[in-house]
Amino acid sequence: MIRTILPLAALALFANPALAAEPVLAPGEIAAAAPKADWVAIASSDLLVMDLTPDAKGKARRVVIQLMPPPFSQGWIDNIRKLAAAQWWDGLSINRVQDNYVVQWGDAEGEDKTKAKALPVGLATVLEADYVTVVTKANADLLNKVTVSAIEGELPERAELQRRGGLHDPYSGLAGFVGGWPVGSDTSSFWPVHCYGMVGVGRDMPPNTGSGAELYTVIGHAPRHLDRNIALVGRVIEGIEHLSSLPRGTGALGFYETPEERTGIVSVRLGGEVAGLPAYEYLSTESTPFARYADARANRRDAFFIRPAGGADICNIPVPVRRVK
Amino acid sequence: MIRTILPLAALALFANPALAAEPVLAPGEIAAAAPKADWVAIASSDLLVMDLTPDAKGKARRVVIQLMPPPFSQGWIDNIRKLAAAQWWDGLSINRVQDNYVVQWGDAEGEDKTKAKALPVGLATVLEADYVTVVTKANADLLNKVTVSAIEGELPERAELQRRGGLHDPYSGLAGFVGGWPVGSDTSSFWPVHCYGMVGVGRDMPPNTGSGAELYTVIGHAPRHLDRNIALVGRVIEGIEHLSSLPRGTGALGFYETPEERTGIVSVRLGGEVAGLPAYEYLSTESTPFARYADARANRRDAFFIRPAGGADICNIPVPVRRVK
């Protein structure tokens, strides 16, 4: 950090002796050097593209969200696809910006049933049970070997966990990556977790689970206490700065107090409907370069660092995503 | 969350049966209800007050930082007191805003020795050893009972840790609170940790440790890999939104590419020099209400939640700080 750009090939003080003759790469450099075969294409049909009104200088503001694959949250995601197809969010706004927590968008008048914008017909009501995925024979293959270690039986010791490459997690016992997504797991189920940039479904008091019309993204320290209490449906893969740098709301929970403070939504579309959208890909979380990247996030050996941490929490290992070159 | 303000006296679904007849409070409500005797005054001499140029609407922007007490980072903090007394930061600027990472301020021309602003005489060069505090008989009383559990011997099992109220930490084995501050600890030393809002000292490549002239604050998920690698000197206790909502820099590491993008610093003063400054206090981390607050952060039982997490990471338990009424 602070002033110096990390050199591309610096020898670190605490490098693994076995690698001492090789250059020590920073995590981002490890990801960038991964072969093309280890990057997984993201289908444009799994993207949600939100265009905001231009900023004060007239600059365009586009936020690109990747929706989760099965088995996660598909009831809400089906609703979101319907809402986007109906162009439901067009003309609505960003209504809440709470520092170190979330940015939320949708219908600012939704609380008042006499003023609320009508939802498209056919949205499903999803059950709380769908906040988690129960481990079955049919889906166990979705768990990579890191996460599988949690379902073999009792929670392993810290040393054993580290040997296996798993992450000891204060919220769930074990955390790992499944098909490109960060998940928590216990002995019987797994679920996506609230890291920076993850997108979730606003809801009222339980047993309400939200329809998907009211969405938020995390713009602060991971609020992991929300895991298994709210549906997560995706993550921002580009343009989060257009949300995280918005003025904070001064009302309760960071809601804006006047309509003038809100940022307008021009349109929200599925990626397949957006002309000229770049293609994106993520680094396979089952790949060897990802394992090396995660290890380097937990044990910084590049030249700026004097003492590798020896561990990391799951939200400090963001899955690399990039535009396809 | 999302739409509904949490009710003051709602019975949660998963409340501790022993408490079923009592109202279940949210963590913030537990802190707010703590008796005055459990709040600790922050001396104005331990505050650093940074006034930025007004925002686009002419509104004042003040950031209030609490400096750490001994035994943490006092070499750098002494330098910071001298820099503030010399009014060294006046007229300098915010130069870097990296999304989900840090905001940094100081001398934008500091890299170029022919243009750098001269530092006051008498600043100390602090050693890397001071990134941590070695546990001795003389300072062991500073560790509260949570953290003491880490220095009794081997790392306890997860269940034993939870029984004691400690936090299992992927970065250090154990984390807890010492005199109002979040710390990591191993069997021989302890150190402050990089949570949201913590303020640290920018530096060049090791063994450089920075003087304190170049400062940053965390505006994203806790970058705990920086612990023990950079000095932490305090935390923002008011006005962080004036930093976290700044436009992100588009240069490498989030540095602004043109001088026009920078936000000007009008002045930085120690609290004792600022007329009309409010008094602040924090909730004692050795108090019973703090223990209840931390437990509630890890086990949300208030009405919005259907499933308490059963744990939390140290940076998801921010120490409550407030203006004195």
Side-chain angles (χ1 to χ4, degrees), chain B residues 77-139:
Chain B
I77 291 170
D78 286 347
N79 286 350
I80 288 168
R81 293 181 187 282
K82 285 175 185 156
L83 287 155
Q87 308 188 353
W88 187 79
W89 284 287
D90 297 15
L92 296 178
S93 54
I94 312 281
N95 304 314
R96 176 189 183 191
V97 184
Q98 184 170 0
D99 196 67
N100 190 20
Y101 204 41
V102 296
V103 171
Q104 183 179 335
W105 60 95
D107 181 6
E109 306 294 346
E111 285 273 40
D112 179 344
K113 284 185 182 163
T114 66
K115 293 184 186 171
K117 182 171 182 174
L119 292 167
V121 293
L123 298 189
T125 298
V126 193
L127 299 179
E128 289 177 343
D130 287 356
Y131 292 149
V132 307
T133 298
V134 174
V135 175
T136 63
K137 276 197 178 171
N139 68 27

Side-chain angles (χ1 to χ4, degrees), chain A residues 2 22 44 57 71 73 89-90 110 121 126 187-188 207 265 267 284 325:
Chain A
I2 299 292
E22 296 179 32
S44 65
K57 291 176 180 167
S73 305
W89 285 286
D90 297 15
V121 293
V126 192
T187 55
S188 60
I265 296 171
S267 65
S284 167
K325 283 163 201 166

